[in-house]
Amino acid sequence: MDATANTASAKLTVGDKSWDLPIHDGTIGPQVVDISKLYGQTGLFTYDPGFTSTASCESKITYIDGDEGVLLYRGYPIEQLAENGDFLETCYLLLYGELPTPAQKADFDFSVTRHTMVHDQMNRFFTGFRRDAHPMAIMVACVGALSAFYHDSTDISDPQQRLIASIRMIAKMPTLAAMAYKYSIGQPFIYPKNDLDYTANFLNMCFAVPCEDYKVSPTLSKALDKIFILHADHEQNASTSTVRLAGSSGANPFACIAAGVACLWGPAHGGANEAALKMLTEIGHPERIPEFVNRAKDKNDPFRLMGFGHRVYKNYDPRAKIMQQTCHEVLSELGIKDDPLLDVAIELERVALHDEYFIEKKLYPNIDFYSGITLKAMGFPTDMFTVLFALARTVGWIGQWKEMIEDPSQRIGRPRQLYTGAERRDYVAMAKRK
Ligand code: CMC
């Protein structure tokens, strides 16, 4: 463990017995009480459903201050990275811990670009799906299937194989995502073009057709690249923890990332952008906002304002601010002056930010609130939104997986439980059951 040694300790008292528990300091953020030896020493488990107070690992990658609305990748504020860098630079930073020199960046871009094609037999996977399959269903399957094609990068004990697997996944996710989209609309797959940058290549694979020229808009490409930066990592969220847990058993990296994709799909996580856009469409007009806000506040109604609230941010999600600005840039580039969904979004945000319920519960717009409108304007159908999130988050998942594998104290993840089921009882033969 690299955390700073701390002489302070916490005292746990149960009945007439007490134990001292070590406290560790991180670089920034709350201290942690080390309970790793608690069970051995006391015979007690801790209970923390949803891990609201539990640090599951030590990490040097991403830091969030939810109260202040701060997000740092390797110490760099998200605002500075989104404003000045590009997505592959962010990938390098997340994977290696430092911003690349020009030579390192050129090398990294070259490696990623050279791995963008997928094995040609992967094409056949797609034809096994119905045309109306959700593209996230296709992604879960195809990302997992990569382990069936790239046997030379599944040995997790070999650093070189880990590196190649990492580059392969960053490079191939856009290709698979674009293939999932093309398949759903019945158009031929477009192969990667190595003279385009990462994000322009992705847009080309999505929107070009073989029968005519397609020119990628530099403004849209830059905006999407920024969206990818915003989504690249977010410390120990549900999908990242899933990837770490899957990886802790020694599963190969492609299988672990497929597990992350599956977890991301849920509407409380990466699926929220799709759900937020559906909600804005359902609201349809600013006049109907009070009705939906009231439903969100009603304890007996399961409805929630999608794109609002966050487990960690109890302030404005810093990504949402950048996303809102990007949304305006994209709409203006596309000449969309009056988007009814944007009108609803702006008014809903205003109403919620002034509503006692949302103020008291510290529910602010999160990144998903504006990303749906932006992606829709770019031409992506709603069910592709979470796929784009998965594409961008892949580097975060890989970086966190790599950090875990390279941590000498790493062990298989194995939470315990508070058992409240039946006590021991004897089997009753079928004929004797009433
Ligand atoms: N609308 C209305 N009420 C809400 C909302 C919402 N969007 N979010 C939380 N609440 C209320 C909730 O009912 C609860 O009230 P009470 O204390 O009276 O029971 C309180 O706020 C705390 O909510 P919670 O569910 O205990 O908080 P959580 O930290 O477990 O959940 C969340 C966080 C993001 C799952 C939740 O805020 C939510 O469901 N938001 C909508 C979905 C969404 O936008 N998700 C995207 C998250 S950002 C992208 C990502 O990281 O994946």
Side-chain angles (χ1 to χ4, degrees), residues 200-283:
N201 174 48
F202 175 61
L203 284 168
N204 190 66
M205 289 190 289
C206 287
F207 298 120
V209 284
C211 41
E212 56 187 61
D213 286 339
Y214 172 78
K215 189 152 173 10
V216 179
S217 150
T219 311
L220 294 191
S221 173
K222 177 113 191 51
L224 187 58
D225 201 71
K226 207 181 265 191
I227 294 173
F228 289 165
I229 294 173
L230 298 182
H231 285 87
D233 194 41
H234 216 223
E235 52 118 309
Q236 309 311 321
N237 56 83
S239 57
T240 301
S241 298
T242 301
V243 170
R244 278 188 179 256
L245 202 53
S248 76
S249 74
N252 77 68
F254 303 105
C256 297
I257 302 305
V261 177
C263 178
L264 186 75
W265 194 357
H269 193 7
N273 48 17
E274 184 175 341
L277 194 84
K278 281 187 182 147
M279 178 194 73
L280 293 174
T281 312
E282 203 191 333
I283 296 175

Coordinates of all heavy atoms in Angstrom, one line a residue, residues 200-283:
A200 N -12.7 11.1 -35.6 CA -13.2 11.3 -37.0 C -13.4 9.9 -37.7 O -14.4 9.7 -38.4 CB -12.2 12.1 -37.8
N201 N -12.5 9.0 -37.4 CA -12.6 7.6 -38.0 C -13.9 7.0 -37.5 O -14.6 6.3 -38.3 CB -11.4 6.8 -37.6 CG -11.5 5.4 -38.0 OD1 -11.8 5.1 -39.2 ND2 -11.3 4.4 -37.1
F202 N -14.2 7.2 -36.2 CA -15.5 6.6 -35.7 C -16.7 7.2 -36.4 O -17.6 6.4 -36.9 CB -15.5 6.8 -34.2 CG -16.8 6.3 -33.6 CD1 -17.2 5.0 -33.7 CD2 -17.7 7.2 -33.0 CE1 -18.4 4.5 -33.2 CE2 -18.9 6.7 -32.5 CZ -19.3 5.4 -32.6
L203 N -16.7 8.5 -36.6 CA -17.8 9.1 -37.2 C -17.9 8.6 -38.7 O -19.0 8.4 -39.2 CB -17.7 10.7 -37.2 CG -18.0 11.3 -35.9 CD1 -17.5 12.8 -35.8 CD2 -19.5 11.2 -35.5
N204 N -16.8 8.5 -39.3 CA -16.8 8.0 -40.7 C -17.3 6.6 -40.8 O -18.2 6.3 -41.6 CB -15.3 8.0 -41.2 CG -15.3 7.8 -42.7 OD1 -15.8 8.6 -43.5 ND2 -14.7 6.6 -43.1
M205 N -16.9 5.7 -39.8 CA -17.4 4.3 -39.8 C -18.9 4.3 -39.6 O -19.6 3.4 -40.0 CB -16.7 3.5 -38.8 CG -15.3 3.2 -39.2 SD -14.5 1.9 -38.1 CE -14.4 2.8 -36.6
C206 N -19.4 5.3 -38.9 CA -20.9 5.3 -38.6 C -21.7 5.9 -39.7 O -22.8 5.4 -40.0 CB -21.2 6.1 -37.3 SG -20.7 5.3 -35.8
F207 N -21.2 7.0 -40.3 CA -22.1 7.7 -41.2 C -21.7 7.7 -42.7 O -22.5 8.2 -43.5 CB -22.2 9.2 -40.7 CG -22.8 9.3 -39.3 CD1 -22.1 9.8 -38.2 CD2 -24.1 8.7 -39.1 CE1 -22.7 9.9 -37.0 CE2 -24.6 8.8 -37.8 CZ -23.9 9.3 -36.8
A208 N -20.5 7.2 -43.0 CA -20.2 7.1 -44.4 C -20.9 5.9 -45.1 O -21.3 5.0 -44.4 CB -18.7 6.9 -44.6
V209 N -21.1 6.0 -46.4 CA -21.6 4.8 -47.1 C -20.7 4.6 -48.3 O -20.1 5.5 -48.8 CB -23.1 5.0 -47.6 CG1 -24.1 4.9 -46.4 CG2 -23.2 6.4 -48.3
P210 N -20.6 3.4 -48.8 CA -19.6 3.1 -49.9 C -19.9 3.9 -51.2 O -19.0 4.1 -52.0 CB -19.7 1.6 -50.1 CG -20.5 1.0 -49.0 CD -21.3 2.1 -48.4
C211 N -21.2 4.3 -51.4 CA -21.5 4.8 -52.7 C -21.3 6.3 -52.8 O -21.5 6.9 -53.9 CB -23.0 4.5 -53.0 SG -24.1 4.6 -51.6
E212 N -20.9 7.0 -51.8 CA -20.6 8.4 -52.0 C -19.6 8.9 -50.9 O -19.4 8.2 -49.9 CB -21.9 9.3 -51.9 CG -22.7 9.1 -50.6 CD -24.0 9.9 -50.7 OE1 -24.9 9.6 -51.6 OE2 -24.2 10.8 -49.9
D213 N -19.0 10.1 -51.2 CA -18.0 10.6 -50.3 C -18.7 11.2 -49.0 O -19.8 11.7 -49.1 CB -17.3 11.8 -51.0 CG -16.3 11.3 -52.0 OD1 -15.9 10.1 -51.9 OD2 -15.9 12.0 -52.9
Y214 N -18.0 11.0 -47.9 CA -18.5 11.6 -46.7 C -17.4 12.4 -46.1 O -16.2 11.9 -46.0 CB -18.9 10.4 -45.8 CG -19.3 10.9 -44.4 CD1 -20.5 11.5 -44.1 CD2 -18.4 10.8 -43.3 CE1 -20.9 12.0 -42.8 CE2 -18.8 11.2 -42.0 CZ -20.0 11.8 -41.8 OH -20.3 12.3 -40.5
K215 N -17.7 13.6 -45.7 CA -16.6 14.4 -45.1 C -17.0 14.6 -43.6 O -18.1 15.1 -43.3 CB -16.5 15.7 -45.8 CG -15.3 16.5 -45.3 CD -14.8 17.5 -46.4 CE -13.7 18.4 -45.8 NZ -13.2 18.1 -44.5
V216 N -16.1 14.2 -42.7 CA -16.4 14.4 -41.3 C -16.3 15.8 -40.9 O -15.3 16.5 -41.3 CB -15.4 13.6 -40.4 CG1 -15.6 13.7 -39.0 CG2 -15.4 12.1 -40.8
S217 N -17.3 16.4 -40.2 CA -17.2 17.8 -39.8 C -16.2 17.9 -38.6 O -16.3 17.2 -37.6 CB -18.6 18.2 -39.3 OG -18.5 19.2 -38.2
P218 N -15.2 18.8 -38.8 CA -14.2 18.9 -37.7 C -14.8 19.4 -36.4 O -14.4 18.9 -35.3 CB -13.2 20.0 -38.2 CG -13.5 20.1 -39.7 CD -14.9 19.6 -40.0
T219 N -15.9 20.2 -36.5 CA -16.5 20.7 -35.3 C -17.2 19.5 -34.5 O -17.1 19.4 -33.3 CB -17.6 21.8 -35.6 OG1 -17.0 22.7 -36.4 CG2 -18.1 22.4 -34.3
L220 N -17.9 18.7 -35.3 CA -18.6 17.6 -34.7 C -17.6 16.5 -34.1 O -17.8 16.0 -33.0 CB -19.6 16.9 -35.6 CG -20.8 17.7 -36.1 CD1 -21.8 16.8 -36.9 CD2 -21.5 18.4 -34.9
S221 N -16.6 16.3 -34.9 CA -15.5 15.4 -34.4 C -14.9 15.9 -33.1 O -14.7 15.1 -32.2 CB -14.5 15.2 -35.6 OG -13.5 14.5 -35.1
K222 N -14.6 17.2 -33.1 CA -14.0 17.7 -31.9 C -15.0 17.6 -30.7 O -14.6 17.3 -29.6 CB -13.6 19.2 -32.1 CG -13.1 20.0 -31.0 CD -11.6 20.4 -31.3 CE -10.9 20.9 -30.1 NZ -10.9 20.3 -28.9
A223 N -16.3 17.9 -31.0 CA -17.3 17.8 -29.9 C -17.4 16.4 -29.4 O -17.4 16.1 -28.1 CB -18.6 18.3 -30.4
L224 N -17.4 15.4 -30.3 CA -17.5 14.0 -29.8 C -16.3 13.6 -29.1 O -16.3 12.8 -28.1 CB -17.8 13.1 -31.0 CG -18.1 11.6 -30.7 CD1 -19.3 11.5 -29.8 CD2 -18.3 10.8 -32.0
D225 N -15.1 14.0 -29.6 CA -13.9 13.7 -28.9 C -13.9 14.2 -27.4 O -13.5 13.5 -26.5 CB -12.7 14.4 -29.6 CG -11.4 13.8 -29.4 OD1 -11.2 12.6 -29.8 OD2 -10.6 14.4 -28.6
K226 N -14.5 15.4 -27.3 CA -14.6 16.0 -25.9 C -15.6 15.1 -25.1 O -15.3 14.9 -23.9 CB -15.2 17.4 -26.1 CG -14.8 18.3 -24.9 CD -15.4 19.7 -25.1 CE -14.5 20.7 -25.8 NZ -15.0 22.1 -25.8
I227 N -16.6 14.7 -25.7 CA -17.6 13.8 -25.0 C -16.9 12.5 -24.5 O -17.1 12.1 -23.4 CB -18.8 13.5 -25.9 CG1 -19.6 14.8 -26.1 CG2 -19.7 12.4 -25.2 CD1 -20.8 14.7 -27.1
F228 N -16.0 12.0 -25.4 CA -15.3 10.8 -25.0 C -14.3 11.1 -23.8 O -14.2 10.3 -22.9 CB -14.4 10.3 -26.2 CG -15.2 9.7 -27.3 CD1 -14.6 9.5 -28.6 CD2 -16.5 9.3 -27.1 CE1 -15.3 8.9 -29.6 CE2 -17.2 8.7 -28.2 CZ -16.6 8.5 -29.4
I229 N -13.7 12.3 -23.8 CA -12.8 12.6 -22.7 C -13.6 12.7 -21.4 O -13.2 12.1 -20.4 CB -12.1 14.0 -23.0 CG1 -11.2 13.9 -24.1 CG2 -11.4 14.5 -21.7 CD1 -10.6 15.2 -24.6
L230 N -14.8 13.3 -21.5 CA -15.6 13.4 -20.3 C -16.1 12.1 -19.7 O -16.3 11.9 -18.5 CB -16.9 14.2 -20.6 CG -16.8 15.6 -21.1 CD1 -18.1 16.3 -21.3 CD2 -15.9 16.5 -20.1
H231 N -16.2 11.1 -20.6 CA -16.7 9.8 -20.1 C -15.5 8.8 -19.8 O -15.8 7.6 -19.4 CB -17.6 9.1 -21.2 CG -18.9 9.7 -21.3 ND1 -19.2 10.8 -22.1 CD2 -20.1 9.4 -20.7 CE1 -20.5 11.2 -21.9 NE2 -21.0 10.3 -21.1
A232 N -14.3 9.2 -20.0 CA -13.2 8.2 -20.0 C -13.0 7.4 -18.7 O -12.7 6.2 -18.7 CB -11.9 8.9 -20.4
D233 N -13.2 8.1 -17.6 CA -13.0 7.3 -16.3 C -13.8 8.0 -15.2 O -14.1 9.2 -15.3 CB -11.6 7.2 -15.9 CG -11.4 6.1 -14.8 OD1 -12.1 5.0 -14.9 OD2 -10.7 6.3 -13.9
H234 N -14.2 7.3 -14.2 CA -15.0 7.9 -13.1 C -14.8 7.1 -11.9 O -15.7 6.7 -11.2 CB -16.4 8.0 -13.5 CG -17.1 9.3 -13.0 ND1 -18.3 9.3 -12.4 CD2 -16.6 10.5 -12.9 CE1 -18.6 10.5 -12.0 NE2 -17.5 11.3 -12.3
E235 N -13.6 6.8 -11.5 CA -13.1 6.0 -10.4 C -14.0 4.7 -10.2 O -14.3 4.1 -11.1 CB -12.8 6.8 -9.1 CG -13.8 7.8 -8.6 CD -14.3 7.5 -7.2 OE1 -14.7 6.3 -7.0 OE2 -14.3 8.4 -6.4
Q236 N -14.4 4.4 -8.9 CA -14.9 3.0 -8.7 C -16.4 2.9 -8.9 O -17.1 2.4 -8.0 CB -14.5 2.6 -7.3 CG -13.0 2.7 -7.0 CD -12.1 2.1 -8.1 OE1 -12.4 1.1 -8.7 NE2 -11.0 2.8 -8.4
N237 N -16.9 3.4 -10.0 CA -18.4 3.3 -10.3 C -18.8 1.9 -10.5 O -17.9 1.0 -10.5 CB -18.7 4.2 -11.5 CG -17.8 3.7 -12.7 OD1 -18.2 2.8 -13.4 ND2 -16.7 4.4 -12.8
A238 N -20.1 1.6 -10.7 CA -20.6 0.2 -10.8 C -19.9 -0.6 -11.9 O -19.4 -1.7 -11.6 CB -22.1 0.2 -11.0
S239 N -19.7 -0.1 -13.1 CA -19.1 -0.9 -14.2 C -17.6 -1.1 -13.9 O -17.1 -2.2 -14.2 CB -19.4 -0.3 -15.5 OG -18.9 1.0 -15.6
T240 N -17.0 -0.1 -13.4 CA -15.5 -0.2 -13.1 C -15.3 -1.2 -12.0 O -14.4 -2.1 -12.1 CB -14.9 1.1 -12.8 OG1 -15.2 2.0 -13.9 CG2 -13.4 1.0 -12.5
S241 N -16.1 -1.2 -11.0 CA -16.0 -2.2 -9.9 C -16.3 -3.6 -10.5 O -15.7 -4.5 -10.0 CB -17.0 -1.8 -8.8 OG -16.6 -0.6 -8.2
T242 N -17.2 -3.6 -11.4 CA -17.5 -4.9 -12.0 C -16.3 -5.5 -12.8 O -16.0 -6.7 -12.7 CB -18.7 -4.8 -13.0 OG1 -19.8 -4.3 -12.3 CG2 -19.1 -6.1 -13.7
V243 N -15.7 -4.6 -13.5 CA -14.5 -5.0 -14.3 C -13.4 -5.5 -13.3 O -12.8 -6.5 -13.5 CB -13.9 -3.8 -15.1 CG1 -12.6 -4.1 -15.7 CG2 -14.9 -3.5 -16.3
R244 N -13.2 -4.7 -12.2 CA -12.2 -5.1 -11.2 C -12.5 -6.4 -10.6 O -11.7 -7.3 -10.4 CB -12.0 -4.0 -10.2 CG -11.2 -2.8 -10.5 CD -11.0 -1.9 -9.3 NE -10.1 -0.8 -9.6 CZ -8.8 -0.7 -9.2 NH1 -8.2 -1.7 -8.6 NH2 -8.1 0.4 -9.5
L245 N -13.8 -6.6 -10.3 CA -14.2 -7.9 -9.6 C -14.0 -9.1 -10.6 O -13.5 -10.1 -10.2 CB -15.7 -7.7 -9.2 CG -16.2 -8.7 -8.1 CD1 -15.3 -8.5 -6.9 CD2 -17.6 -8.3 -7.7
A246 N -14.5 -8.8 -11.8 CA -14.3 -9.9 -12.8 C -12.8 -10.2 -13.0 O -12.4 -11.4 -13.0 CB -14.9 -9.5 -14.2
G247 N -12.0 -9.1 -13.1 CA -10.5 -9.3 -13.3 C -9.8 -10.0 -12.1 O -8.8 -10.6 -12.3
S248 N -10.4 -9.8 -10.9 CA -9.7 -10.3 -9.7 C -9.7 -11.8 -9.7 O -8.9 -12.4 -9.0 CB -10.4 -9.8 -8.4 OG -11.6 -10.5 -8.2
S249 N -10.5 -12.5 -10.5 CA -10.5 -13.9 -10.6 C -9.5 -14.4 -11.6 O -9.3 -15.6 -11.7 CB -11.9 -14.4 -11.0 OG -12.1 -14.2 -12.3
G250 N -8.9 -13.5 -12.3 CA -7.9 -13.9 -13.3 C -8.5 -14.0 -14.7 O -7.8 -14.5 -15.6
A251 N -9.7 -13.6 -14.8 CA -10.4 -13.7 -16.2 C -9.6 -12.8 -17.2 O -9.0 -11.8 -16.8 CB -11.8 -13.2 -16.1
N252 N -9.7 -13.2 -18.4 CA -8.9 -12.4 -19.4 C -9.5 -11.0 -19.6 O -10.7 -10.8 -19.4 CB -8.8 -13.2 -20.8 CG -10.1 -13.1 -21.6 OD1 -10.5 -12.1 -22.1 ND2 -10.8 -14.3 -21.6
P253 N -8.7 -10.1 -20.1 CA -9.2 -8.7 -20.1 C -10.4 -8.4 -21.0 O -11.3 -7.6 -20.7 CB -8.0 -7.9 -20.7 CG -7.1 -8.9 -21.2 CD -7.3 -10.2 -20.5
F254 N -10.6 -9.2 -22.1 CA -11.7 -9.0 -23.0 C -13.0 -9.4 -22.2 O -14.0 -8.7 -22.3 CB -11.6 -9.8 -24.3 CG -10.3 -9.5 -25.0 CD1 -9.2 -10.4 -25.0 CD2 -10.2 -8.3 -25.7 CE1 -8.1 -10.1 -25.7 CE2 -9.0 -8.0 -26.4 CZ -8.0 -8.9 -26.4
A255 N -12.9 -10.5 -21.5 CA -14.1 -10.9 -20.7 C -14.4 -9.9 -19.7 O -15.6 -9.6 -19.4 CB -13.8 -12.3 -20.1
C256 N -13.4 -9.3 -19.0 CA -13.7 -8.4 -18.0 C -14.3 -7.1 -18.5 O -15.3 -6.6 -17.9 CB -12.4 -7.9 -17.3 SG -11.5 -9.3 -16.5
I257 N -13.9 -6.7 -19.7 CA -14.5 -5.4 -20.2 C -15.9 -5.7 -20.7 O -16.8 -4.9 -20.6 CB -13.6 -4.9 -21.4 CG1 -12.2 -4.6 -20.9 CG2 -14.2 -3.6 -22.0 CD1 -12.1 -3.6 -19.7
A258 N -16.2 -6.9 -21.2 CA -17.5 -7.3 -21.6 C -18.4 -7.2 -20.3 O -19.6 -6.8 -20.4 CB -17.6 -8.7 -22.2
A259 N -17.9 -7.6 -19.2 CA -18.7 -7.6 -17.9 C -19.0 -6.1 -17.6 O -20.1 -5.7 -17.2 CB -17.9 -8.2 -16.8
G260 N -18.0 -5.2 -17.8 CA -18.2 -3.8 -17.6 C -19.3 -3.2 -18.5 O -20.1 -2.4 -18.1
V261 N -19.3 -3.7 -19.8 CA -20.3 -3.2 -20.8 C -21.7 -3.6 -20.3 O -22.6 -2.8 -20.3 CB -20.0 -3.8 -22.2 CG1 -21.1 -3.3 -23.2 CG2 -18.6 -3.4 -22.7
A262 N -21.8 -4.8 -19.8 CA -23.1 -5.3 -19.3 C -23.6 -4.5 -18.2 O -24.8 -4.1 -18.1 CB -23.0 -6.8 -18.9
C263 N -22.7 -4.2 -17.2 CA -23.1 -3.4 -16.1 C -23.5 -2.0 -16.4 O -24.4 -1.4 -15.9 CB -22.0 -3.4 -15.0 SG -22.4 -2.4 -13.6
L264 N -22.7 -1.4 -17.4 CA -23.0 0.0 -17.8 C -24.4 0.2 -18.4 O -25.0 1.2 -18.4 CB -21.9 0.4 -18.9 CG -22.0 1.9 -19.3 CD1 -21.4 2.7 -18.2 CD2 -21.2 2.1 -20.6
W265 N -24.9 -0.9 -19.0 CA -26.2 -0.8 -19.7 C -27.4 -0.4 -18.9 O -28.3 0.2 -19.4 CB -26.5 -2.2 -20.3 CG -27.5 -2.3 -21.3 CD1 -28.3 -1.3 -21.8 CD2 -27.9 -3.5 -22.0 NE1 -29.1 -1.8 -22.8 CE2 -28.9 -3.2 -22.9 CE3 -27.5 -4.9 -22.0 CZ2 -29.5 -4.1 -23.8 CZ3 -28.0 -5.8 -22.8 CH2 -29.0 -5.4 -23.7
G266 N -27.3 -0.6 -17.6 CA -28.5 -0.3 -16.7 C -28.8 1.2 -16.7 O -28.0 2.1 -16.8
P267 N -30.2 1.5 -16.5 CA -30.6 2.9 -16.6 C -30.1 3.8 -15.4 O -30.1 5.0 -15.5 CB -32.1 2.8 -16.5 CG -32.4 1.5 -16.0 CD -31.3 0.6 -16.4
A268 N -29.7 3.1 -14.3 CA -29.1 4.0 -13.2 C -27.7 4.4 -13.5 O -27.1 5.2 -12.8 CB -29.2 3.2 -11.9
H269 N -27.1 3.8 -14.5 CA -25.7 4.0 -14.8 C -25.6 4.6 -16.2 O -26.1 5.6 -16.5 CB -24.9 2.7 -14.6 CG -23.4 2.8 -14.6 ND1 -22.7 3.9 -14.6 CD2 -22.5 1.8 -14.6 CE1 -21.4 3.7 -14.5 NE2 -21.2 2.4 -14.5
G270 N -24.9 3.8 -17.1 CA -24.7 4.4 -18.5 C -26.0 4.5 -19.3 O -26.0 5.2 -20.3
G271 N -27.0 3.7 -18.9 CA -28.3 3.8 -19.7 C -29.1 5.0 -19.4 O -30.1 5.3 -20.1
A272 N -28.6 5.9 -18.5 CA -29.3 7.1 -18.1 C -29.4 8.1 -19.3 O -30.4 8.8 -19.3 CB -28.7 7.7 -16.9
N273 N -28.4 8.1 -20.2 CA -28.5 9.1 -21.2 C -29.7 8.8 -22.2 O -30.4 9.7 -22.6 CB -27.2 9.3 -22.0 CG -26.6 7.9 -22.4 OD1 -27.2 6.9 -22.4 ND2 -25.3 7.9 -22.7
E274 N -29.8 7.5 -22.4 CA -30.9 7.1 -23.3 C -32.3 7.4 -22.6 O -33.2 7.9 -23.1 CB -30.8 5.5 -23.5 CG -31.8 5.0 -24.5 CD -31.5 3.5 -24.8 OE1 -30.4 3.0 -24.5 OE2 -32.5 2.8 -25.2
A275 N -32.3 7.0 -21.3 CA -33.5 7.2 -20.5 C -33.8 8.7 -20.3 O -35.0 9.1 -20.4 CB -33.3 6.6 -19.1
A276 N -32.8 9.6 -20.2 CA -33.0 11.0 -20.1 C -33.6 11.6 -21.4 O -34.5 12.4 -21.3 CB -31.7 11.7 -19.8
L277 N -33.1 11.1 -22.5 CA -33.7 11.7 -23.8 C -35.1 11.2 -23.9 O -36.0 12.0 -24.4 CB -32.8 11.2 -25.0 CG -33.2 12.0 -26.2 CD1 -32.5 13.4 -26.2 CD2 -33.0 11.3 -27.5
K278 N -35.4 9.9 -23.6 CA -36.8 9.4 -23.7 C -37.7 10.2 -22.8 O -38.8 10.6 -23.1 CB -36.8 7.9 -23.3 CG -36.4 7.0 -24.4 CD -36.6 5.6 -24.0 CE -36.1 4.7 -25.1 NZ -35.5 3.4 -24.6
M279 N -37.2 10.6 -21.6 CA -38.0 11.4 -20.6 C -38.3 12.8 -21.2 O -39.4 13.2 -21.2 CB -37.2 11.5 -19.3 CG -37.9 12.3 -18.3 SD -36.8 12.7 -16.9 CE -35.7 13.9 -17.7
L280 N -37.2 13.4 -21.8 CA -37.4 14.7 -22.3 C -38.5 14.7 -23.5 O -39.3 15.6 -23.6 CB -36.1 15.3 -22.9 CG -35.1 15.6 -21.8 CD1 -33.7 16.1 -22.4 CD2 -35.6 16.7 -20.8
T281 N -38.4 13.6 -24.3 CA -39.3 13.5 -25.4 C -40.7 13.3 -24.8 O -41.7 13.8 -25.4 CB -38.9 12.2 -26.2 OG1 -37.5 12.3 -26.5 CG2 -39.7 12.2 -27.5
E282 N -40.8 12.5 -23.8 CA -42.1 12.2 -23.2 C -42.7 13.5 -22.6 O -43.9 13.8 -22.7 CB -42.0 11.2 -22.1 CG -43.3 10.4 -21.8 CD -43.1 9.6 -20.5 OE1 -42.0 9.2 -20.2 OE2 -44.1 9.3 -19.8
I283 N -41.9 14.3 -22.0 CA -42.4 15.6 -21.4 C -42.9 16.5 -22.6 O -43.9 17.0 -22.5 CB -41.3 16.3 -20.6 CG1 -40.9 15.5 -19.4 CG2 -41.7 17.7 -20.1 CD1 -39.7 16.0 -18.6

